[in-house]
Amino acid sequence: MAAETRGSRPWGSRLLGLLGLVSVSVSVAAAAWDLTSLRCSFGTFCECDFQPDFQGLECDLAQHLAGQHLAKALVVKALKAFVQDPAPTKPLVLSLHGWTGTGKSYVSALLAHHLFRGGLRSPFVHHFSPVIHFPHPGHMERYKKDLKSWVQGNLTVCGRSLFLFDEMDKLTPGLMEVLQPFLGSSWVVYGTNYRKAIFIFISNTGGEQINQVVLEAWRSRRDREEICLQELEPVIAQAVLDNPHHGFWRSGIMEEHLLDVLVPFLPLQRHHVRHCVLNELAQLGLEPRDEVIQAVLDSTTFFPEDEQLFSSNGCKTVASRIAFFL
């Protein structure tokens, strides 16, 4: 398979291909360890293929992530501070929240792409989906054992590892508790130095609450760029605590405040969807065509019913709609 080149990754069809590269099976945790250890004998302290490109990351976020001033600022600030710290006291733990299609998975894919030389193909980037890796609630004890072994083993191989947990709102509560020791500020867990790892959790939980804050701001004629994290963080945290289907429900991870940043993704308006359409057309090497752009916008459902303000699925279906109208 050809090596992945660095550069822009527009929001759309490319994301599906990127994420498809990183589905890993917990049951095969030891498969790559021996080969990797030859390249990095002291995995705890080795940077492995960690090669952060902040300029590229900021460029891609500025050009391709529509309508997310908070997410752009929070992610870059937290990431820079963490990476530039030669001896962090704990891993970086980000939790991404928002409505479907607002860019959460896209941002996580960009982070992998701009942090690791191998991008999403890197053996040090690990992507978990509850549907694929933890589908049966009755197997929870086995999943806990496997997940703990996977994380511990891979951090032993390389302290600079990235762990992505998708669809946290579909994850059986209790499983994530095995990660709690890895997310805190202890120096060593199970004999493993883990403080340079990055954990990213993604969910739609809190999306409705974020939408309501943005809607109220619009009704009050406030610019959405005036919305700040302090307005959204409490309602997101409460939404997680109140959701019995979320992986952090009644979790010590929430109680111990081990999430460094709750990153809100705001609902997308019509001009944001237009931005996504233009990006996708550019990725396809096509000139903007007003009739195609308008057809995609006209086929997109917006809410609430009265205001017709926010896209019901963000930019998630832009790529497929463009293909239909070309």
Side-chain angles (χ1 to χ4, degrees):
M1 184 175 294
E4 181 175 359
T5 58
R6 287 184 177 271
S8 62
R9 287 295 181 271
W11 194 351
S13 60
R14 300 287 300 200
L15 177 58
L16 298 178
L18 285 174
L19 292 179
L21 296 169
V22 293
S23 290
V24 292
S25 173
V26 174
S27 62
V28 295
W33 291 357
D34 292 340
L35 178 59
T36 306
S37 62
L38 292 176
R39 297 164 49 196
C40 181
S41 299
F42 302 98
T44 299
F45 304 100
C46 182
E47 297 297 291
C48 310
D49 75 342
F50 188 75
Q51 193 175 55
D53 174 17
F54 290 120
Q55 184 177 358
L57 173 63
E58 291 183 78
C59 181
D60 270 358
L61 289 173
Q63 291 184 11
H64 303 299
L65 184 65
Q68 304 301 347
H69 70 286
L70 284 173
K72 292 176 186 176
L74 290 169
V75 167
V76 171
K77 180 180 179 180
L79 201 58
K80 280 186 174 180
F82 178 73
V83 171
Q84 292 169 0
D85 186 347
T89 58
K90 68 182 294 295
L92 177 63
V93 186
L94 304 177
S95 189
L96 314 186
H97 298 264
W99 199 251
T100 183
T102 51
K104 303 181 298 297
S105 295
Y106 178 70
V107 167
S108 66
L110 275 185
L111 292 183
H113 177 68
H114 288 293
L115 289 178
F116 291 85
R117 189 166 56 248
L120 285 166
R121 296 186 180 94
S122 170
F124 313 112
V125 174
H126 313 278
H127 179 234
F128 297 89
S129 166
V131 176
I132 297 173
H133 301 106
F134 317 112
H136 305 295
H139 297 169
M140 193 55 55
E141 291 308 310
R142 191 190 79 194
Y143 294 154
K144 287 181 179 179
K145 181 180 178 181
D146 287 346
L147 181 58
K148 175 184 171 182
S149 296
W150 177 268
V151 173
Q152 182 182 351
N154 280 281
L155 287 178
T156 300
V157 169
C158 179
R160 282 291 193 192
S161 294
L162 171 62
F163 299 90
L164 304 173
F165 291 86
D166 208 353
E167 297 182 303
M168 286 290 294
D169 40 353
K170 297 180 182 178
L171 190 68
T172 303
L175 175 61
M176 290 293 100
E177 294 306 287
V178 300
L179 296 182
Q180 185 172 344
F182 295 102
L183 304 183
S185 56
S186 299
W187 285 84
V188 176
V189 175
Y190 309 123
T192 300
N193 182 341
Y194 63 96
R195 292 170 293 126
K196 288 189 175 183
I198 299 174
F199 292 82
I200 299 178
F201 302 97
I202 304 171
S203 80
N204 292 344
T205 299
E208 292 184 8
Q209 290 76 9
I210 295 170
N211 292 355
Q212 188 61 38
V213 170
V214 180
L215 178 60
E216 290 173 3
W218 181 84
R219 287 171 173 169
S220 301
R221 300 184 182 278
R222 286 179 62 201
D223 190 338
R224 65 187 277 143
E225 276 70 31
E226 296 177 5
I227 299 172
C228 62
L229 179 63
Q230 288 72 21
E231 296 177 70
L232 297 171
E233 194 171 40
V235 297
I236 295 173
Q238 193 59 52
V240 172
L241 293 172
D242 292 344
N243 185 355
H245 303 293
H246 195 282
F248 287 151
W249 188 60
R250 295 183 177 178
S251 168
I253 292 172
M254 293 292 293
E255 294 172 1
E256 297 297 324
H257 305 286
L258 298 180
L259 304 179
D260 295 308
V261 187
L262 295 177
V263 182
F265 284 73
L266 311 187
L268 301 183
Q269 296 173 238
R270 186 175 295 269
H271 62 283
H272 299 128
V273 178
R274 177 183 175 84
H275 180 92
C276 294
V277 176
L278 291 172
N279 274 340
E280 189 65 27
L281 288 172
Q283 171 62 25
L284 294 172
L286 301 175
E287 293 293 325
R289 291 166 48 187
D290 290 341
E291 66 273 18
V292 173
I293 296 171
Q294 193 59 48
V296 173
L297 291 174
D298 289 345
S299 68
T300 300
T301 303
F302 291 86
F303 72 96
E305 184 175 352
D306 292 336
E307 289 88 350
Q308 295 287 294
L309 189 62
F310 305 131
S311 170
S312 60
N313 51 25
C315 284
K316 195 167 189 175
T317 61
V318 162
S320 60
R321 289 176 189 271
I322 287 177
F324 181 78
F325 291 115
L326 284 177

